[in-house]
PDB file of all heavy atoms in Angstrom:
ATOM      1  N   LEU A 456      53.793  97.187  46.820  1.00 98.00           N
ATOM      2  CA  LEU A 456      54.548  96.010  47.379  1.00 98.00           C
ATOM      3  C   LEU A 456      53.531  95.066  48.103  1.00 98.00           C
ATOM      4  O   LEU A 456      53.686  93.857  48.038  1.00 98.00           O
ATOM      5  CB  LEU A 456      55.690  96.426  48.259  1.00 98.00           C
ATOM      6  CG  LEU A 456      56.811  97.050  47.619  1.00 98.00           C
ATOM      7  CD1 LEU A 456      57.819  97.642  48.634  1.00 98.00           C
ATOM      8  CD2 LEU A 456      57.552  96.064  46.668  1.00 98.00           C
ATOM      9  N   CYS A 457      52.554  95.643  48.806  1.00 98.00           N
ATOM     10  CA  CYS A 457      51.583  94.873  49.477  1.00 98.00           C
ATOM     11  C   CYS A 457      50.658  94.140  48.471  1.00 98.00           C
ATOM     12  O   CYS A 457      50.455  92.920  48.610  1.00 98.00           O
ATOM     13  CB  CYS A 457      50.736  95.825  50.392  1.00 98.00           C
ATOM     14  SG  CYS A 457      49.410  94.864  51.339  1.00 98.00           S
ATOM     15  N   GLN A 458      50.315  94.816  47.461  1.00 98.00           N
ATOM     16  CA  GLN A 458      49.539  94.192  46.381  1.00 98.00           C
ATOM     17  C   GLN A 458      50.261  93.040  45.787  1.00 98.00           C
ATOM     18  O   GLN A 458      49.749  91.947  45.453  1.00 98.00           O
ATOM     19  CB  GLN A 458      49.172  95.241  45.314  1.00 98.00           C
ATOM     20  CG  GLN A 458      48.256  96.323  45.777  1.00 98.00           C
ATOM     21  CD  GLN A 458      48.152  97.511  44.850  1.00 98.00           C
ATOM     22  OE1 GLN A 458      48.871  97.544  43.789  1.00 98.00           O
ATOM     23  NE2 GLN A 458      47.307  98.441  45.130  1.00 98.00           N
ATOM     24  N   TRP A 459      51.596  93.242  45.496  1.00 98.00           N
ATOM     25  CA  TRP A 459      52.428  92.237  44.936  1.00 98.00           C
ATOM     26  C   TRP A 459      52.516  91.003  45.856  1.00 98.00           C
ATOM     27  O   TRP A 459      52.393  89.831  45.400  1.00 98.00           O
ATOM     28  CB  TRP A 459      53.825  92.813  44.660  1.00 98.00           C
ATOM     29  CG  TRP A 459      54.864  91.834  44.184  1.00 98.00           C
ATOM     30  CD1 TRP A 459      54.803  90.994  43.135  1.00 98.00           C
ATOM     31  CD2 TRP A 459      56.153  91.589  44.865  1.00 98.00           C
ATOM     32  NE1 TRP A 459      55.927  90.205  43.034  1.00 98.00           N
ATOM     33  CE2 TRP A 459      56.811  90.560  44.101  1.00 98.00           C
ATOM     34  CE3 TRP A 459      56.808  92.129  45.966  1.00 98.00           C
ATOM     35  CZ2 TRP A 459      58.052  90.092  44.424  1.00 98.00           C
ATOM     36  CZ3 TRP A 459      58.055  91.723  46.265  1.00 98.00           C
ATOM     37  CH2 TRP A 459      58.651  90.680  45.530  1.00 98.00           C
ATOM     38  N   GLY A 460      52.731  91.288  47.131  1.00 98.00           N
ATOM     39  CA  GLY A 460      52.769  90.133  48.145  1.00 98.00           C
ATOM     40  C   GLY A 460      51.493  89.358  48.141  1.00 98.00           C
ATOM     41  O   GLY A 460      51.529  88.092  48.236  1.00 98.00           O
ATOM     42  N   LEU A 461      50.364  90.090  48.096  1.00 98.00           N
ATOM     43  CA  LEU A 461      49.085  89.377  48.030  1.00 98.00           C
ATOM     44  C   LEU A 461      48.916  88.593  46.824  1.00 98.00           C
ATOM     45  O   LEU A 461      48.302  87.442  46.840  1.00 98.00           O
ATOM     46  CB  LEU A 461      47.920  90.362  48.261  1.00 98.00           C
ATOM     47  CG  LEU A 461      47.878  91.034  49.663  1.00 98.00           C
ATOM     48  CD1 LEU A 461      46.854  92.180  49.607  1.00 98.00           C
ATOM     49  CD2 LEU A 461      47.553  90.014  50.713  1.00 98.00           C
ATOM     50  N   ASP A 462      49.378  89.109  45.693  1.00 97.00           N
ATOM     51  CA  ASP A 462      49.273  88.359  44.437  1.00 97.00           C
ATOM     52  C   ASP A 462      50.118  87.086  44.438  1.00 97.00           C
ATOM     53  O   ASP A 462      49.738  86.028  43.935  1.00 97.00           O
ATOM     54  CB  ASP A 462      49.727  89.220  43.249  1.00 97.00           C
ATOM     55  CG  ASP A 462      48.780  90.335  42.943  1.00 97.00           C
ATOM     56  OD1 ASP A 462      47.598  90.240  43.334  1.00 97.00           O
ATOM     57  OD2 ASP A 462      49.213  91.326  42.267  1.00 97.00           O
ATOM     58  N   LEU A 463      51.265  87.148  45.111  1.00 98.00           N
ATOM     59  CA  LEU A 463      52.107  85.974  45.257  1.00 98.00           C
ATOM     60  C   LEU A 463      51.433  84.862  46.052  1.00 98.00           C
ATOM     61  O   LEU A 463      51.630  83.690  45.786  1.00 98.00           O
ATOM     62  CB  LEU A 463      53.423  86.337  45.937  1.00 98.00           C
ATOM     63  CG  LEU A 463      54.408  87.223  45.160  1.00 98.00           C
ATOM     64  CD1 LEU A 463      55.625  87.662  46.006  1.00 98.00           C
ATOM     65  CD2 LEU A 463      54.944  86.474  43.924  1.00 98.00           C
ATOM     66  N   LEU A 464      50.599  85.309  46.988  1.00 97.00           N
ATOM     67  CA  LEU A 464      49.831  84.378  47.803  1.00 97.00           C
ATOM     68  C   LEU A 464      48.565  83.883  47.195  1.00 97.00           C
ATOM     69  O   LEU A 464      47.871  83.009  47.674  1.00 97.00           O
ATOM     70  CB  LEU A 464      49.491  84.967  49.203  1.00 97.00           C
ATOM     71  CG  LEU A 464      50.728  85.301  50.105  1.00 97.00           C
ATOM     72  CD1 LEU A 464      50.232  86.078  51.339  1.00 97.00           C
ATOM     73  CD2 LEU A 464      51.357  83.951  50.557  1.00 97.00           C
ATOM     74  N   GLY A 465      48.181  84.543  46.057  1.00 96.00           N
ATOM     75  CA  GLY A 465      46.940  84.211  45.434  1.00 96.00           C
ATOM     76  C   GLY A 465      45.668  84.792  46.213  1.00 96.00           C
ATOM     77  O   GLY A 465      44.559  84.225  46.114  1.00 96.00           O
ATOM     78  N   VAL A 466      45.885  85.886  46.929  1.00 97.00           N
ATOM     79  CA  VAL A 466      44.882  86.476  47.767  1.00 97.00           C
ATOM     80  C   VAL A 466      44.203  87.628  47.029  1.00 97.00           C
ATOM     81  O   VAL A 466      44.894  88.615  46.637  1.00 97.00           O
ATOM     82  CB  VAL A 466      45.369  86.949  49.136  1.00 97.00           C
ATOM     83  CG1 VAL A 466      44.334  87.739  49.913  1.00 97.00           C
ATOM     84  CG2 VAL A 466      45.927  85.760  49.921  1.00 97.00           C
ATOM     85  N   ALA A 467      42.888  87.570  46.845  1.00 96.00           N
ATOM     86  CA  ALA A 467      42.201  88.659  46.066  1.00 96.00           C
ATOM     87  C   ALA A 467      42.094  89.911  47.008  1.00 96.00           C
ATOM     88  O   ALA A 467      41.900  89.781  48.167  1.00 96.00           O
ATOM     89  CB  ALA A 467      40.790  88.211  45.710  1.00 96.00           C
ATOM     90  N   TRP A 468      42.248  91.048  46.369  1.00 97.00           N
ATOM     91  CA  TRP A 468      42.216  92.306  47.039  1.00 97.00           C
ATOM     92  C   TRP A 468      41.562  93.350  46.134  1.00 97.00           C
ATOM     93  O   TRP A 468      41.480  93.160  44.970  1.00 97.00           O
ATOM     94  CB  TRP A 468      43.624  92.770  47.475  1.00 97.00           C
ATOM     95  CG  TRP A 468      44.525  92.811  46.348  1.00 97.00           C
ATOM     96  CD1 TRP A 468      45.366  91.838  45.903  1.00 97.00           C
ATOM     97  CD2 TRP A 468      44.777  93.958  45.462  1.00 97.00           C
ATOM     98  NE1 TRP A 468      46.073  92.218  44.835  1.00 97.00           N
ATOM     99  CE2 TRP A 468      45.724  93.527  44.526  1.00 97.00           C
ATOM    100  CE3 TRP A 468      44.237  95.248  45.317  1.00 97.00           C
ATOM    101  CZ2 TRP A 468      46.147  94.382  43.456  1.00 97.00           C
ATOM    102  CZ3 TRP A 468      44.663  96.028  44.304  1.00 97.00           C
ATOM    103  CH2 TRP A 468      45.625  95.646  43.361  1.00 97.00           C
ATOM    104  N   ARG A 469      41.179  94.487  46.759  1.00 96.00           N
ATOM    105  CA  ARG A 469      40.706  95.580  45.937  1.00 96.00           C
ATOM    106  C   ARG A 469      40.999  96.933  46.693  1.00 96.00           C
ATOM    107  O   ARG A 469      41.113  96.889  47.978  1.00 96.00           O
ATOM    108  CB  ARG A 469      39.198  95.562  45.632  1.00 96.00           C
ATOM    109  CG  ARG A 469      38.272  95.726  46.930  1.00 96.00           C
ATOM    110  CD  ARG A 469      36.805  95.587  46.489  1.00 96.00           C
ATOM    111  NE  ARG A 469      36.027  95.882  47.656  1.00 96.00           N
ATOM    112  CZ  ARG A 469      35.604  97.034  48.089  1.00 96.00           C
ATOM    113  NH1 ARG A 469      36.016  98.143  47.473  1.00 96.00           N
ATOM    114  NH2 ARG A 469      34.793  97.198  49.165  1.00 96.00           N
ATOM    115  N   MET A 470      41.212  97.965  45.944  1.00 96.00           N
ATOM    116  CA  MET A 470      41.436  99.256  46.576  1.00 96.00           C
ATOM    117  C   MET A 470      40.040  99.920  46.849  1.00 96.00           C
ATOM    118  O   MET A 470      39.283 100.218  45.911  1.00 96.00           O
ATOM    119  CB  MET A 470      42.255 100.118  45.616  1.00 96.00           C
ATOM    120  CG  MET A 470      43.661  99.659  45.300  1.00 96.00           C
ATOM    121  SD  MET A 470      44.664  99.587  46.789  1.00 96.00           S
ATOM    122  CE  MET A 470      44.878 101.330  47.177  1.00 96.00           C
ATOM    123  N   ASN A 471      39.775 100.180  48.059  1.00 90.00           N
ATOM    124  CA  ASN A 471      38.546 100.814  48.457  1.00 90.00           C
ATOM    125  C   ASN A 471      38.712 102.327  48.632  1.00 90.00           C
ATOM    126  O   ASN A 471      37.749 103.094  48.605  1.00 90.00           O
ATOM    127  CB  ASN A 471      37.957 100.227  49.734  1.00 90.00           C
ATOM    128  CG  ASN A 471      38.854 100.413  50.949  1.00 90.00           C
ATOM    129  OD1 ASN A 471      40.088 100.210  50.841  1.00 90.00           O
ATOM    130  ND2 ASN A 471      38.345 100.752  52.075  1.00 90.00           N
ATOM    131  N   ARG A 472      39.942 102.746  48.760  1.00 91.00           N
ATOM    132  CA  ARG A 472      40.303 104.241  48.760  1.00 91.00           C
ATOM    133  C   ARG A 472      41.690 104.395  48.140  1.00 91.00           C
ATOM    134  O   ARG A 472      42.372 103.399  47.912  1.00 91.00           O
ATOM    135  CB  ARG A 472      40.293 104.824  50.197  1.00 91.00           C
ATOM    136  CG  ARG A 472      38.932 104.875  50.797  1.00 91.00           C
ATOM    137  CD  ARG A 472      38.939 105.867  52.003  1.00 91.00           C
ATOM    138  NE  ARG A 472      39.900 105.402  53.019  1.00 91.00           N
ATOM    139  CZ  ARG A 472      39.691 104.611  53.989  1.00 91.00           C
ATOM    140  NH1 ARG A 472      38.561 103.997  54.059  1.00 91.00           N
ATOM    141  NH2 ARG A 472      40.642 104.288  54.838  1.00 91.00           N
ATOM    142  N   ARG A 473      42.066 105.584  47.911  1.00 91.00           N
ATOM    143  CA  ARG A 473      43.370 105.845  47.284  1.00 91.00           C
ATOM    144  C   ARG A 473      44.480 105.255  48.084  1.00 91.00           C
ATOM    145  O   ARG A 473      45.478 104.709  47.517  1.00 91.00           O
ATOM    146  CB  ARG A 473      43.570 107.412  47.130  1.00 91.00           C
ATOM    147  CG  ARG A 473      44.965 107.810  46.744  1.00 91.00           C
ATOM    148  CD  ARG A 473      45.133 109.275  46.937  1.00 91.00           C
ATOM    149  NE  ARG A 473      44.960 109.662  48.345  1.00 91.00           N
ATOM    150  CZ  ARG A 473      45.971 109.532  49.282  1.00 91.00           C
ATOM    151  NH1 ARG A 473      47.127 109.000  48.962  1.00 91.00           N
ATOM    152  NH2 ARG A 473      45.751 109.969  50.536  1.00 91.00           N
ATOM    153  N   ASN A 474      44.437 105.292  49.414  1.00 94.00           N
ATOM    154  CA  ASN A 474      45.535 104.793  50.209  1.00 94.00           C
ATOM    155  C   ASN A 474      45.117 103.600  51.137  1.00 94.00           C
ATOM    156  O   ASN A 474      45.735 103.328  52.091  1.00 94.00           O
ATOM    157  CB  ASN A 474      46.021 105.903  51.161  1.00 94.00           C
ATOM    158  CG  ASN A 474      44.842 106.332  52.070  1.00 94.00           C
ATOM    159  OD1 ASN A 474      43.688 106.068  51.944  1.00 94.00           O
ATOM    160  ND2 ASN A 474      45.202 107.082  53.127  1.00 94.00           N
ATOM    161  N   SER A 475      44.073 102.878  50.709  1.00 95.00           N
ATOM    162  CA  SER A 475      43.524 101.783  51.524  1.00 95.00           C
ATOM    163  C   SER A 475      43.197 100.589  50.640  1.00 95.00           C
ATOM    164  O   SER A 475      42.531 100.697  49.618  1.00 95.00           O
ATOM    165  CB  SER A 475      42.316 102.255  52.318  1.00 95.00           C
ATOM    166  OG  SER A 475      41.792 101.174  53.062  1.00 95.00           O
ATOM    167  N   LEU A 476      43.670  99.409  51.141  1.00 96.00           N
ATOM    168  CA  LEU A 476      43.434  98.158  50.398  1.00 96.00           C
ATOM    169  C   LEU A 476      42.529  97.226  51.285  1.00 96.00           C
ATOM    170  O   LEU A 476      42.698  97.252  52.494  1.00 96.00           O
ATOM    171  CB  LEU A 476      44.717  97.529  50.128  1.00 96.00           C
ATOM    172  CG  LEU A 476      44.834  96.120  49.469  1.00 96.00           C
ATOM    173  CD1 LEU A 476      46.117  96.026  48.664  1.00 96.00           C
ATOM    174  CD2 LEU A 476      44.793  95.075  50.538  1.00 96.00           C
ATOM    175  N   SER A 477      41.593  96.538  50.637  1.00 95.00           N
ATOM    176  CA  SER A 477      40.633  95.699  51.375  1.00 95.00           C
ATOM    177  C   SER A 477      40.767  94.311  50.859  1.00 95.00           C
ATOM    178  O   SER A 477      40.871  94.009  49.692  1.00 95.00           O
ATOM    179  CB  SER A 477      39.252  96.226  51.208  1.00 95.00           C
ATOM    180  OG  SER A 477      38.296  95.302  51.709  1.00 95.00           O
ATOM    181  N   VAL A 478      40.725  93.310  51.840  1.00 96.00           N
ATOM    182  CA  VAL A 478      40.551  91.918  51.518  1.00 96.00           C
ATOM    183  C   VAL A 478      39.264  91.439  52.238  1.00 96.00           C
ATOM    184  O   VAL A 478      39.266  91.396  53.477  1.00 96.00           O
ATOM    185  CB  VAL A 478      41.789  91.072  52.034  1.00 96.00           C
ATOM    186  CG1 VAL A 478      41.538  89.598  51.783  1.00 96.00           C
ATOM    187  CG2 VAL A 478      43.068  91.573  51.324  1.00 96.00           C
ATOM    188  N   ALA A 479      38.266  91.136  51.450  1.00 92.00           N
ATOM    189  CA  ALA A 479      36.936  90.846  52.033  1.00 92.00           C
ATOM    190  C   ALA A 479      36.305  89.543  51.613  1.00 92.00           C
ATOM    191  O   ALA A 479      35.416  89.062  52.292  1.00 92.00           O
ATOM    192  CB  ALA A 479      35.977  92.030  51.766  1.00 92.00           C
ATOM    193  N   ARG A 480      36.653  88.962  50.456  1.00 92.00           N
ATOM    194  CA  ARG A 480      36.116  87.734  50.043  1.00 92.00           C
ATOM    195  C   ARG A 480      36.418  86.631  51.008  1.00 92.00           C
ATOM    196  O   ARG A 480      37.528  86.567  51.550  1.00 92.00           O
ATOM    197  CB  ARG A 480      36.663  87.408  48.604  1.00 92.00           C
ATOM    198  CG  ARG A 480      36.030  88.191  47.498  1.00 92.00           C
ATOM    199  CD  ARG A 480      36.657  87.872  46.145  1.00 92.00           C
ATOM    200  NE  ARG A 480      36.870  86.449  45.951  1.00 92.00           N
ATOM    201  CZ  ARG A 480      37.383  85.952  44.827  1.00 92.00           C
ATOM    202  NH1 ARG A 480      37.726  86.758  43.903  1.00 92.00           N
ATOM    203  NH2 ARG A 480      37.524  84.637  44.716  1.00 92.00           N
ATOM    204  N   ARG A 481      35.452  85.737  51.188  1.00 91.00           N
ATOM    205  CA  ARG A 481      35.612  84.722  52.293  1.00 91.00           C
ATOM    206  C   ARG A 481      36.795  83.932  52.062  1.00 91.00           C
ATOM    207  O   ARG A 481      37.580  83.660  53.001  1.00 91.00           O
ATOM    208  CB  ARG A 481      34.346  83.847  52.231  1.00 91.00           C
ATOM    209  CG  ARG A 481      34.376  82.798  53.374  1.00 91.00           C
ATOM    210  CD  ARG A 481      33.060  81.937  53.354  1.00 91.00           C
ATOM    211  NE  ARG A 481      31.923  82.802  53.629  1.00 91.00           N
ATOM    212  CZ  ARG A 481      30.571  82.334  53.682  1.00 91.00           C
ATOM    213  NH1 ARG A 481      30.429  80.990  53.379  1.00 91.00           N
ATOM    214  NH2 ARG A 481      29.681  83.122  53.945  1.00 91.00           N
ATOM    215  N   ASP A 482      37.013  83.418  50.792  1.00 94.00           N
ATOM    216  CA  ASP A 482      38.198  82.514  50.600  1.00 94.00           C
ATOM    217  C   ASP A 482      39.544  83.336  50.751  1.00 94.00           C
ATOM    218  O   ASP A 482      40.523  82.775  51.225  1.00 94.00           O
ATOM    219  CB  ASP A 482      38.146  81.909  49.199  1.00 94.00           C
ATOM    220  CG  ASP A 482      38.056  82.910  48.065  1.00 94.00           C
ATOM    221  OD1 ASP A 482      37.649  84.054  48.379  1.00 94.00           O
ATOM    222  OD2 ASP A 482      38.389  82.570  46.936  1.00 94.00           O
TER     223      ASP A 482
END
Side-chain angles (χ1 to χ4, degrees):
L456 290 173
C457 183
Q458 296 167 354
W459 173 55
L461 292 172
D462 288 343
L463 290 174
L464 294 172
V466 173
W468 54 270
R469 68 178 182 86
M470 297 296 295
N471 60 317
R472 292 196 303 274
R473 172 192 59 81
N474 63 343
S475 179
L476 175 152
S477 169
V478 175
R480 285 175 43 180
R481 181 179 300 177
D482 58 339

